[in-house]
Amino acid sequence: MLEARQAPAPATQAPATQAPATQAPAPAAGCARTWVGREAELEEYLKKAPVASMKDIPVGVTRPRRAFLEPGGPIESMAWKVVPPGKPSGYWESYKSEIAAYELNKLLEMGMIPPTVERQIKGDTGAAVMWVSPTKSFKDLGGVPQPPGRYVAEFTRQIIRAKMFDNLIANKDPNLGNWLVDEDWHLILIDHTRSFTSMNSLAHKFDHVDAALWDRMKALDEPGLTAALSAWLTKPEIKGILNNRDRLQKEIDKLVAAKGQSVFVR
Ligand SMILES: Nc1ncnc2c1ncn2[C@@H]1O[C@H](COP(=O)(O)OP(=O)(O)OP(=O)(O)O)[C@@H](O)[C@H]1O
Ligand SMILES: [Mg+2]
């Protein structure tokens, strides 16, 4: 994990418009974004579903676990992340940031983060994240995967959106294990415990901007963010999102000055 953290996000180093690093096997049909359009139902289920068993996830410095739910429901399992707000290893981290990231992704109509809720299990409070399957992480695939030709444009666009989001939330942990891809080449984002910090430097360099997502980011304001996120973020953290957005605006202005309107993907 240390290695992935020290070389954060080769996704960053391989801009979306350049050739990806590895050739992944051609995926069979299989969509893991099964939550889209069913968010409210699945959130309620995640909050209450009885846990049948719990197992350690073999990777991950925050020691996440996988909780298997009683069979017969709409979700088979969930990641269980007990990360009390604090700085145990030099980075600010919190399970609440996991939930805030999901809620912000909803506000921005991204549909890229699986349902995430607060719940209690055996006296611990944490974030329960719907387990998405079938997926592989970019780390499992050895780097940024190369989709077959017909998926390239949309996959590239999803990478552009993911970078914009990590930059907006100042994600300090943008490693390859946190970007998952399903068999239909949907990019799914997990692991936001080290986010909602202030932006000293960009989580990802970028050379393209998704125009529709940027419009939605520009429309964010403090009342709207407070209504959506105040259960999970402090006032300074909410203001931090807007500051990060202003930093992004400056970066985008520079990019447009250098390259023109072609930086916007529409
Ligand atoms: N909701 C999920 N759906 C599918 N796979 C998941 C999910 N949550 C975690 N995983 C798998 O478990 C791994 C570790 O989870 P996660 O990244 O949340 O832990 P972490 O301790 O915060 O990780 P790290 O420090 O390595 O970034 C992920 O790389 C992924 O392979
Ligand atoms: Mg991770």
Side-chain angles (χ1 to χ4, degrees):
M1 282 321 308
L2 199 57
E3 193 181 296
R5 244 187 250 300
Q6 283 172 341
T12 304
Q13 292 153 13
T17 45
Q18 291 177 6
T22 59
Q23 182 77 38
C31 172
R33 281 176 79 232
T34 53
W35 70 84
V36 175
R38 301 172 64 199
E39 285 84 352
E41 172 210 346
L42 296 176
E43 286 164 24
E44 286 315 301
Y45 187 72
L46 281 174
K47 282 178 195 167
K48 296 192 209 99
V51 174
S53 63
M54 190 77 89
K55 116 176 169 191
D56 289 332
I57 299 175
V59 295
V61 294
T62 62
R63 306 185 69 79
R65 307 190 82 201
R66 183 170 174 181
F68 290 85
L69 305 174
E70 293 288 355
I75 297 176
E76 187 216 344
S77 65
M78 60 193 196
W80 174 233
K81 306 194 74 173
V82 181
V83 183
K87 248 185 168 182
S89 38
Y91 295 89
W92 169 257
E93 57 187 30
S94 169
Y95 80 89
K96 293 184 186 185
S97 302
E98 203 78 271
I99 306 166
Y102 168 63
E103 293 295 337
L104 182 57
N105 130 98
K106 282 200 299 188
L107 200 61
L108 292 168
E109 300 170 38
M110 291 169 57
M112 296 177 83
I113 300 182
T116 303
V117 301
E118 180 183 70
R119 76 173 277 179
Q120 284 78 37
I121 298 177
K122 292 190 176 163
D124 288 325
T125 300
V129 187
M130 178 182 171
W131 194 269
V132 283
S133 176
T135 56
K136 285 196 159 71
S137 72
F138 283 19
K139 191 175 173 202
D140 296 334
L141 295 168
V144 183
Q146 166 73 71
R150 68 186 184 283
Y151 293 101
V152 167
E154 181 50 29
F155 190 63
T156 299
R157 193 161 182 164
Q158 293 176 80
I159 290 182
I160 292 170
R161 290 189 197 121
K163 289 181 180 180
M164 290 168 69
F165 186 71
D166 271 351
N167 284 336
L168 182 72
I169 66 174
N171 185 354
K172 294 289 188 237
D173 191 18
N175 69 66
L176 291 177
N178 297 339
W179 286 12
L180 311 181
V181 59
D182 73 8
E183 293 175 352
D184 286 344
W185 294 96
H186 295 127
L187 177 57
I188 297 170
L189 312 177
I190 59 163
D191 194 4
H192 300 95
T193 49
R194 294 180 177 177
S195 300
F196 302 104
T197 59
S198 57
M199 187 166 20
N200 301 321
S201 58
L202 292 173
H204 303 279
K205 288 193 167 45
F206 59 94
D207 54 13
H208 285 88
V209 176
D210 182 282
L213 180 58
W214 181 236
D215 283 345
R216 292 195 289 273
M217 287 184 175
K218 281 193 293 189
L220 295 174
D221 60 16
E222 197 171 339
L225 288 171
T226 301
L229 305 177
S230 60
W232 316 115
L233 298 183
T234 61
K235 201 168 176 167
E237 286 170 330
I238 287 174
K239 283 182 187 288
I241 297 172
L242 295 169
N243 290 340
N244 293 341
R245 194 260 318 270
D246 293 345
R247 284 279 307 269
L248 272 179
Q249 176 76 70
K250 288 192 183 116
E251 293 296 325
I252 292 171
D253 289 347
K254 277 192 238 164
L255 210 52
V256 172
K259 298 187 175 171
Q261 290 295 314
S262 65
V263 302
F264 291 107
V265 179
R266 297 181 197 278

